[in-house]
Amino acid sequence: MKKLINSAESLVSDVLRGMAIAHPGLRVDHATRVIARAGGPVPGKVGLVSGGGSGHEPLHGGFVGRGMLDAAVPGEVFTSPTPDRILAALRSADSGSGVLQIVKNYSGDRLNFAMAAELAADEGHEVRTVVVDDDVAGADGGAGRRGTGATVFVERICGALAEEGADLAAVAEAGERVNAASRSIAIALSPCTAPAVGRPGFELGPDEIEFGVGIHGEPGLRREPLRPARELVARAMEPLLAGLPPGGGESLVMVNGLGATPLQELYVVLHETAGVLREGGLNIAHSLVGNYVTALDMAGVSITVCRADAPMLALWAAPVNTPVLRWGC
Amino acid sequence: MTKKTGGPLDSARTRAWLRTAALYLDRDKDRLTRLDLAIGDGDHGVNMHRGFLAVTAALDEWEQDDLTAGELLIAVGDTLVSTIGGASGPLFGSSFRAMGKTLSAPGPDDDSRRFAAALSAARASVHRLGAAEPGDKTMYDVYEGAVDAFTRVADTGGSLEAAARAAADAADAGVRATELMQARRGRASYLGLRSVGHQDPGAASLALIFHALAHALEAK
């Protein structure tokens, strides 16, 4: 294992120290590991909190700021944060207008965020939860669809709505709608290595890909031969489009690198994705291309499509100022 | 059945149980990692080890506080919830909390029946939180057999030691049974049929905790 780290044990703390230097707009509490907006909660605004295991950077800390999250809480690598940490994030984000927590659908995240929400309610905080479950791979396993790329769409659109002064119920409802309109799929070209484990999560031959992977280095649905990007994207988009609400119109698209994918390959994938969407009658209104929801050093790509309505598109375009997404201000 | 007179599960024996569990989880950390790499992300061994390390670090302090076995188990549960992380934190943590609460409340005078009630409460808390059913390839598949085995021995007048040994044996059978199951809960469920042929790491950890109980109780 080759990594630029001091130790697996100190990794999350070391990352937070670097983030604090890089982003003066963030306030990092090193004791609770909560990353919050520097100015504190905004009076009259619904607070937004998200979190989950580390190893997906820039998710979630990179999306803290005006128009997105008020606080993010990272756990150990690929391990949900504990309820006490999440509670600290909920407290820091509540200006008195309530807090929405955005949770990716994994047993660990759901259990810990549910416990934190109970603790916060005992303290008098009003907390609602949106569970993101957009990954079409492995959906019939029993635990439901995993939460992956659509988290960025939910955080952005809920964040914009909260910034406009909408109440907690309205912000939560918008999150549910964005999630329902979004689906994702991912392909790995190489596995990733979690620092505490020290070896890759699976092994792939030189001409093999893993189809339908998650973002934690676990194996995917099946192993397939490597094919030209056009064919890979066509195969990936089939279950993705089947999972979206039917019909054409406008869409938000994210072509996301899993951590070790050259940007040029992501542009190739976006072009192929646009072609498939066009055939399905969907136009790309806005796209994101880059590393947003990663799986450490995994090479590969995830594609997320949201069939967005006019209000979602307007909220997407509203001003945002975070370390990763920044426009209109 | 003649009862061995090991006495009740008091604080000293509870501490011995927890120290033994920590040792077993440390000893088998790499095996748990390998199990988790096959059908998960490979961090289960590390996370369990971190949690029980925090427990053993706090044991001396709790000893000075003169906690009862019930209070001790509640403190253990709280520590595990805030140190393991992932799904295992709440599940193992709530197990110990449920045991501690049951032991702290009025219950049967008989030592083994009293602890059988505590184990039933632990099983119920995992069932409620994790929504797992038998056959889902989770730690619940160990709880089912182990708690039933413990309760059978306790209900027929068996000692704590005998009940714990029966539970540990049943736990092993439960772990082996998960190998043939397709996961329907947790991260392994995303692998579909590819989850078959591997033991569930959470089930394996829980079996170690049952073995630690049997070993600690049998120790003179």
Side-chain angles (χ1 to χ4, degrees):
Chain A
M1 176 176 69
K2 273 192 199 167
K3 287 186 190 291
L4 295 170
I5 62 174
N6 295 313
S7 72
E9 290 72 27
S10 68
L11 176 57
V12 176
S13 300
D14 293 347
V15 169
L16 290 179
R17 289 183 196 288
M19 285 187 73
I21 296 168
H23 309 298
L26 302 180
R27 187 187 64 217
V28 179
D29 182 330
H30 295 288
T32 59
R33 290 186 176 172
V34 172
I35 304 163
R37 282 164 79 156
V42 181
K45 187 186 90 67
V46 168
L48 256 66
V49 167
S50 192
S54 294
H56 308 304
E57 291 72 18
L59 195 76
H60 295 270
F63 300 117
V64 173
R66 182 183 164 200
M68 280 186 97
L69 300 176
D70 291 273
V73 51
E76 292 292 326
V77 171
F78 295 163
T79 301
S80 165
T82 54
D84 50 325
R85 302 271 165 85
I86 301 168
L87 175 63
L90 293 171
R91 282 182 191 140
S92 82
D94 193 359
S95 69
S97 302
V99 188
L100 179 71
Q101 50 179 17
I102 298 166
V103 182
K104 301 194 291 304
N105 188 32
Y106 298 99
S107 319
D109 292 287
R110 292 194 62 171
L111 286 172
N112 285 288
F113 275 87
M115 291 178 95
E118 278 181 29
L119 295 171
D122 289 349
E123 292 182 2
H125 299 282
E126 196 186 349
V127 180
R128 289 279 299 268
T129 303
V130 170
V131 175
V132 180
D133 62 343
D134 54 314
D135 186 357
V136 296
D140 47 6
R145 292 183 302 266
R146 294 177 280 221
T148 58
T151 315
V152 176
F153 293 169
V154 172
E155 289 177 1
R156 170 66 193 119
I157 290 171
C158 288
L161 191 57
E163 216 70 54
E164 287 183 356
D167 66 17
L168 181 55
V171 177
E173 197 256 345
E176 303 284 359
R177 285 194 303 114
V178 173
N179 178 55
S182 303
R183 289 293 182 269
S184 297
I185 183 104
I187 294 168
L189 308 185
S190 73
C192 65
T193 300
V197 178
R199 59 194 130 162
F202 51 86
E203 278 171 26
L204 282 176
D207 299 320
E208 288 179 326
I209 63 150
E210 191 80 10
F211 187 89
V213 286
I215 50 175
H216 301 95
E218 67 270 46
L221 279 185
R222 55 178 187 266
R223 195 147 296 184
E224 292 196 349
L226 180 64
R227 296 177 166 89
R230 183 164 304 156
E231 291 173 39
L232 284 179
V233 169
R235 292 171 73 86
M237 290 299 284
E238 208 170 302
L240 189 155
L241 288 175
L244 282 179
E250 297 297 320
S251 66
L252 301 169
V253 173
M254 181 169 75
V255 170
N256 169 61
L258 292 174
T261 317
L263 189 54
Q264 57 175 207
E265 294 175 32
L266 300 180
Y267 280 120
V268 171
V269 169
L270 178 64
H271 172 236
E272 299 304 337
T273 302
V276 175
L277 289 175
R278 203 162 41 239
E279 282 173 28
L282 279 164
N283 179 55
I284 299 179
H286 300 283
S287 64
L288 291 179
V289 181
N291 293 323
Y292 298 100
V293 185
T294 59
L296 295 171
D297 54 348
M298 180 176 270
V301 64
S302 72
I303 304 170
T304 303
V305 179
C306 173
R307 265 205 58 205
D309 58 20
M312 290 181 200
L313 292 175
L315 289 165
W316 181 265
V320 59
N321 188 358
T322 70
V324 177
L325 298 189
R326 188 175 302 146
W327 57 71
C329 53
Chain B
M1 201 181 286
T2 41
K3 283 204 179 190
K4 273 195 239 165
T5 51
L9 189 84
D10 57 13
S11 315
R13 297 181 103 196
T14 305
R15 283 195 299 274
W17 170 28
L18 296 164
R19 287 209 168 88
T20 310
L23 279 176
Y24 285 2
L25 287 164
D26 182 29
R27 182 195 67 190
D28 285 17
K29 189 169 74 174
D30 289 342
R31 179 175 67 90
L32 295 170
T33 295
R34 277 197 302 278
L35 290 179
D36 197 29
L37 271 176
I39 56 172
D41 57 15
D43 61 2
H44 181 71
V46 174
N47 290 343
M48 291 299 292
H49 182 246
R50 184 176 55 240
F52 274 82
L53 208 61
V55 167
T56 48
L59 276 179
D60 291 337
E61 187 187 321
W62 292 331
E63 187 172 357
Q64 283 170 15
D65 292 346
D66 210 17
L67 300 187
T68 64
E71 291 164 346
L72 183 57
L73 289 172
I74 292 174
V76 168
D78 289 340
T79 302
L80 293 179
V81 167
S82 62
T83 51
I84 295 180
S88 296
L91 291 172
F92 280 96
S94 70
S95 290
F96 279 92
R97 280 180 56 84
M99 279 188 264
K101 281 185 185 170
T102 308
L103 291 181
S104 301
D109 286 336
D110 180 84
D111 293 331
S112 30
R113 292 176 77 163
R114 193 171 172 78
F115 198 67
L119 285 175
S120 289
R123 171 171 70 181
S125 78
V126 165
H127 189 233
R128 184 177 55 83
L129 268 183
E133 296 296 335
D136 281 355
K137 196 185 183 93
T138 69
M139 66 158 80
Y140 196 66
D141 292 305
V142 163
Y143 261 124
E144 273 287 295
V147 177
D148 284 351
F150 192 104
T151 306
R152 258 196 310 277
V153 175
D155 282 350
T156 51
S159 64
L160 261 180
E161 291 80 357
R165 179 50 60 192
D169 291 343
D172 284 343
V175 175
R176 284 195 298 273
T178 63
E179 190 164 337
L180 295 176
M181 297 172 185
Q182 178 177 339
R184 287 196 293 261
R185 290 281 157 200
R187 224 170 257 174
S189 68
Y190 305 119
L191 272 68
L193 271 174
R194 286 171 87 180
S195 65
V196 177
H198 304 278
Q199 294 180 355
D200 178 66
S205 282
L206 181 59
L208 287 176
I209 292 169
F210 273 107
H211 272 276
L213 178 66
H215 185 85
L217 289 174
E218 285 161 1
K220 292 279 186 265

